[in-house]
């Protein structure tokens, strides 16, 4: 448990003295920052905000809702997959392994193309089984691929976290006469979730950025709206805005994770 | 080593900003014996890659004829449509021959030669479609596909505000999606749609109607895009367009692709 206690972390290495080259490098970086600030202030154009402000907010909402919903769906799918990965049954193990192998091993862009354009070729089949309304919409297709993709990653996070909980916790639970379900959900999972918190936050951050890919299947997320704005103005500050909005999203998430970690590990502080 | 990396990155960024700040330069001291031409390669019959990966099409043949007329050596590069103008400005190529309409928004960014063709936009629908005419009322709530950042996408949004206009990275994707039944109509150049409808892939659909091109959106026809300041190259190309129109080369090329005059009735705007 020492890993969760900052007081026990190794002391930071003493700071090295800046050498002349270091000063030059820092000077260069300051120059870059100044150039960027100068560019942005000079290029800043209020009429662009009037023209595209609402579409950026709309795009931000599409990105947030897409990532939020697919993350939750992915979490639900990841539980049986993680259990399958840890199962002793070779069929369950094989299926779970194949799922993770495919979704982690192929590019997200290929998966999205496959689900959007590929499934579109089997319209008759999907109409027969009554699922065409789902695969007809680009937003659902994006959601579907993002959810399955993140499920594969989340399954691995979950498996690693569950396996990191010492065997003694299972044994202790059993000696108290608890059922397997109770031990799993009330003893092991809460401890595993603390270990999994950081990797989960990492996964959401990766998803926020990866979700920009849905712009190519006609979903106007933040990046899609940015491309629209850029195509009308040819002004690079449209991309700067998008970058700042993505940065703000990730930054908010980082703070939320820090807060959650502090809250969840209170009992481990001494 | 990290210091060296820091240097390299800072220098690269500084170069990037310096690059965007460069004012337009005149090409008076260039001899233009070699010209690099940029095109998309995904817009049949104007520019496309054939089965062997070779660039073909009306744009490509016209560009070759112009180069022969100007007695310059030309090489071709392909570039994604929505990065076309920045790639030209960054100097990845010198002349953009990619069926780009001369619009006021684009003229703020780059220069154009006089037009080398001008064809009207049109709308295609699935063969079993109940839509009989292209008006905002009949297309209300319908999904219209068009290529991203094109005059057609812009015009679709302007002409049919109650429709749901979806933008695709290339023409290939909206063609796939109307075949798959996700789109109720597609909008593009009449020649592009006609070529597609005549092919096996276009068997799903029929031409609904040809539309009048709004000059505010469509501009003055299709021209060769150039960097601002490359006046010498512009004069060379303008002269070459007149020359191939007069010596019959243009007609010969046009006959291999079309059975009507794509130059349009209106003379080139001066």
């Amino acid at each position: 448990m020492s890993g969760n206690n900052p007081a026990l972390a190794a002391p930071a290495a003493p700071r090295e003295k800046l050498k002349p080259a270091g000063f030059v490098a820092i000077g260069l970086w300051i120059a870059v920052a100044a150039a960027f600030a100068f560019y942005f202030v000079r290029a800043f154009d209020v009429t662009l905000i009037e023209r595209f402000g609402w579409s950026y907010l709309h795009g931000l909402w599409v990105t947030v809702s897409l990532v939020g919903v697919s993350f939750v769906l992915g979490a639900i799918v990841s539980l049986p997959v993680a259990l399958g990965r840890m199962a002793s049954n070779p069929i369950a193990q094989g299926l779970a392994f194949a799922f993770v192998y495919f979704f982690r091993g192929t590019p997200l862009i290929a998966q999205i193309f496959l689900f959007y354009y590929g499934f579109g070729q089997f319209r008759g089949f999907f109409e027969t089984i009554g699922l065409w309304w789902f695969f007809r919409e680009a937003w659902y297709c994006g959601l579907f691929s993002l959810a399955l993709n993140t499920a594969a990653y989340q399954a691995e996070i979950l498996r690693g976290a569950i396996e990191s909980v010492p065997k003694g916790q299972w044994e202790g639970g059993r000696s108290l006469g608890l059922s397997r379900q109770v031990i799993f959900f009330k003893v092991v999972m809460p401890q595993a979730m603390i270990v999994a918190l950081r990797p989960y936050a990492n996964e959401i951050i990766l998803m926020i950025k990866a979700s920009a890919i849905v712009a190519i299947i006609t979903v106007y997320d933040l990046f899609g709206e940015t491309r629209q704005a850029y195509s009308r103005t040819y002004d690079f500050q449209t991309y700067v805005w998008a970058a700042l909005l993505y940065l703000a999203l990730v930054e908010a998430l980082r703070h939320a994770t820090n807060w959650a970690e502090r809250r969840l590990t209170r009992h481990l502080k001494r | 080593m990290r210091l060296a990396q820091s240097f390299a990155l800072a220098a690269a960024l500084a170069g990037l900003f310096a690059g965007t700040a460069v004012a337009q330069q005149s090409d008076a001291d260039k001899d233009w014996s070699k010209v690099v031409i940029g095109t998309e390669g995904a817009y049949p019959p104007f520019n496309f890659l054939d089965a062997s990966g070779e660039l073909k099409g009306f744009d490509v043949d016209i560009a070759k004829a112009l180069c022969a007329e100007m007695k310059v050596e030309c090489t071709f590069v392909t570039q994604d449509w929505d990065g076309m103008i920045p790639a030209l400005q960054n100097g990845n190529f010198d002349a953009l021959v990619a069926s780009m309409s001369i619009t006021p928004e684009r003229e703020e960014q780059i220069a154009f030669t006089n037009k080398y063709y001008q064809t009207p936009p049109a709308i295609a629908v699935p063969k079993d479609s109940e839509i009989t005419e292209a008006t905002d009322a009949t297309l209300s709530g319908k999904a219209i596909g068009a290529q991203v950042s094109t005059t057609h996408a812009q015009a679709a949004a302007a002409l049919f505000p109650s429709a749901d206009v979806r933008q695709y990275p290339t023409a290939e994707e909206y063609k796939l999606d109307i075949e798959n039944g996700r789109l109720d109509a597609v909008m593009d150049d009449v020649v592009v749609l006609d070529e597609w409808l005549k092919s096996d892939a276009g068997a799903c659909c029929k031409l609904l109607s040809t539309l009048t091109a709004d000059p505010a959106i469509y501009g003055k026809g299709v021209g060769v895009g150039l960097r601002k300041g490359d006046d010498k190259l512009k004069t060379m190309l303008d002269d070459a367009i007149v020359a191939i129109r007069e010596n019959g080369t243009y007609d010969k090329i046009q006959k291999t692709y079309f059975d009507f005059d794509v130059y349009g009735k209106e003379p080139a705007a001066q």
Side-chain angles (χ1 to χ4, degrees):
Chain A
M1 284 300 147
S2 63
N4 289 320
N5 191 338
L8 294 181
R15 286 190 70 142
E16 280 177 48
K17 268 197 170 170
L18 270 180
K19 298 187 180 84
F23 278 113
V24 178
I26 287 180
L28 260 174
W29 277 110
I30 291 173
V32 168
F36 180 75
F38 175 73
Y39 160 77
F40 199 57
V41 167
R42 202 193 46 168
F44 187 76
D45 186 351
V46 178
T47 56
L48 284 182
I49 296 190
E50 282 167 11
R51 247 175 104 187
F52 299 112
W54 285 113
S55 33
Y56 268 75
L57 285 183
H58 176 253
L60 187 66
W61 167 243
V62 172
T63 295
V64 169
S65 56
L66 191 65
V67 170
V69 176
S70 53
F71 187 81
V72 172
L73 290 179
I76 295 168
V77 177
S78 76
L79 186 64
V81 177
L83 292 177
R85 289 280 280 146
M86 293 182 292
S88 47
N89 181 337
I91 296 172
Q93 210 182 31
L95 283 175
F97 177 75
F99 179 84
V100 173
Y101 187 77
F102 175 77
F103 283 99
R104 275 205 320 184
T106 55
L108 180 59
I109 190 168
Q111 294 163 17
I112 286 192
F113 260 74
L114 204 65
F115 289 132
Y116 188 68
Y117 293 112
F119 278 18
Q121 307 274 304
F122 302 103
R123 180 184 171 183
F125 170 72
F126 285 110
E127 272 173 342
T128 321
I129 60 170
L131 281 177
W132 178 243
W133 62 271
F134 184 86
F135 289 105
R136 189 177 195 271
E137 293 304 321
W139 196 85
Y140 288 131
C141 285
L143 183 74
F144 186 72
S145 358
L146 275 176
L148 289 184
N149 185 272
T150 187
Y153 284 93
Q154 286 188 38
E156 289 299 283
I157 294 173
L158 199 58
R159 181 173 73 104
I162 291 171
E163 285 179 350
S164 80
V165 176
K167 273 266 179 339
Q169 298 288 329
W170 284 97
E171 288 159 2
R174 221 167 301 149
S175 69
L176 288 172
L178 301 177
S179 68
R180 275 181 66 85
Q181 266 101 355
V182 172
I183 300 173
F184 182 74
F185 285 108
K186 299 279 179 181
V187 179
V188 175
M189 277 295 261
Q191 297 182 65
M193 281 299 120
I194 295 174
V195 177
L197 181 67
R198 289 274 160 192
Y200 271 139
N202 229 347
E203 173 61 14
I204 302 183
I205 289 172
L206 287 175
M207 272 178 79
I208 288 174
K209 292 180 291 180
S211 70
I213 286 178
V214 298
I216 58 168
I217 55 162
T218 75
V219 177
Y220 295 131
D221 70 332
L222 181 51
F223 189 68
E225 295 285 5
T226 307
R227 290 212 316 182
Q228 294 288 311
Y230 180 72
S231 77
R232 302 295 306 276
T233 57
Y234 304 102
D235 188 340
F236 276 107
Q237 67 171 300
T238 52
Y239 283 116
V240 176
W241 289 354
L244 291 177
L245 284 171
Y246 276 113
L247 209 59
L249 266 186
V250 171
E251 190 63 13
L253 197 68
R254 195 172 68 87
H255 281 284
T257 320
N258 283 345
W259 176 83
E261 193 180 59
R262 273 201 306 278
R263 186 90 177 71
L264 287 172
T265 57
R266 274 193 305 188
H267 63 289
L268 299 170
K269 295 250 163 65
R270 278 172 221 176
Chain B
M1 274 307 101
R2 281 187 56 202
L3 196 63
Q5 280 171 3
S6 179
F7 264 122
L9 193 58
L13 281 172
L16 192 75
F17 286 114
T20 56
V22 164
Q24 37 173 292
Q25 290 166 334
S26 166
D27 65 340
D29 53 350
K30 288 189 193 163
D31 70 346
W32 291 122
S33 62
K34 283 184 180 146
V35 174
V36 184
I37 290 177
T39 193
E40 188 195 3
Y43 198 59
F46 290 110
N47 58 72
F48 56 96
L49 296 163
D50 70 2
S52 61
E54 207 179 325
L55 261 178
K56 290 269 168 66
F58 181 74
D59 285 334
V60 178
D61 287 354
I62 288 288
K64 283 179 182 162
L66 293 175
C67 292
E69 184 63 37
M70 300 188 293
K71 299 191 175 56
V72 301
E73 196 184 310
C74 285
T75 44
F76 286 85
V77 292
T78 52
Q79 161 71 45
D80 274 351
W81 175 255
D82 54 354
M84 212 49 114
I85 288 182
L88 171 68
Q89 288 170 327
N90 292 346
N92 297 13
F93 45 80
D94 307 306
L96 190 169
V97 190
S99 290
M100 189 177 274
S101 301
I102 309 164
T103 69
E105 275 176 0
R106 288 173 183 151
E107 278 184 304
E108 282 177 20
Q109 298 297 321
I110 58 173
F112 282 98
T113 63
N114 289 329
K115 70 166 183 175
Y116 63 90
Y117 81 83
Q118 185 167 25
T119 45
I123 283 206
V125 293
K127 275 192 177 137
D128 56 4
S129 176
E130 288 157 8
I131 304 168
T132 49
E133 52 176 352
T135 64
D136 188 37
T138 53
L139 289 166
S140 168
K142 306 280 185 200
I144 306 180
Q147 189 178 359
V148 71
S149 311
T150 57
T151 47
H152 304 292
Q154 228 186 86
L159 287 172
F160 314 115
S162 345
D164 168 21
V165 179
R166 300 192 190 164
Q167 304 198 16
Y168 291 81
T170 73
E172 295 304 322
E173 277 110 11
Y174 74 63
K175 290 173 189 170
L176 254 176
D177 245 12
I178 194 167
E179 272 175 66
N180 291 345
R182 286 201 184 99
L183 292 173
D184 302 301
V186 293
M187 183 157 170
D188 210 327
D189 192 289
V190 67
V191 178
V192 172
L193 291 180
D194 199 48
E195 171 90 3
W196 164 62
L197 293 171
K198 276 190 283 188
S199 72
D200 291 342
C204 64
C205 304
K206 63 180 183 194
L207 204 68
L208 178 65
S209 68
T210 309
L211 305 166
T212 344
D214 177 0
I217 294 172
Y218 282 96
K220 298 174 276 193
V222 167
V224 178
L226 303 164
R227 280 182 294 271
K228 283 192 171 180
D230 283 357
D231 298 330
K232 192 163 132 190
L233 186 59
K234 176 173 155 52
T235 314
M236 286 164 67
L237 281 163
D238 275 337
D239 291 347
I241 292 172
V242 173
I244 63 166
R245 290 275 302 158
E246 277 168 3
N247 69 17
T249 317
Y250 186 98
D251 286 332
K252 217 163 78 191
I253 295 170
Q254 129 164 313
K255 270 192 198 114
T256 61
Y257 292 97
F258 315 113
D259 45 18
F260 65 101
D261 181 22
V262 291
Y263 188 76
K265 287 191 192 72
E266 285 161 48
Q270 289 304 319

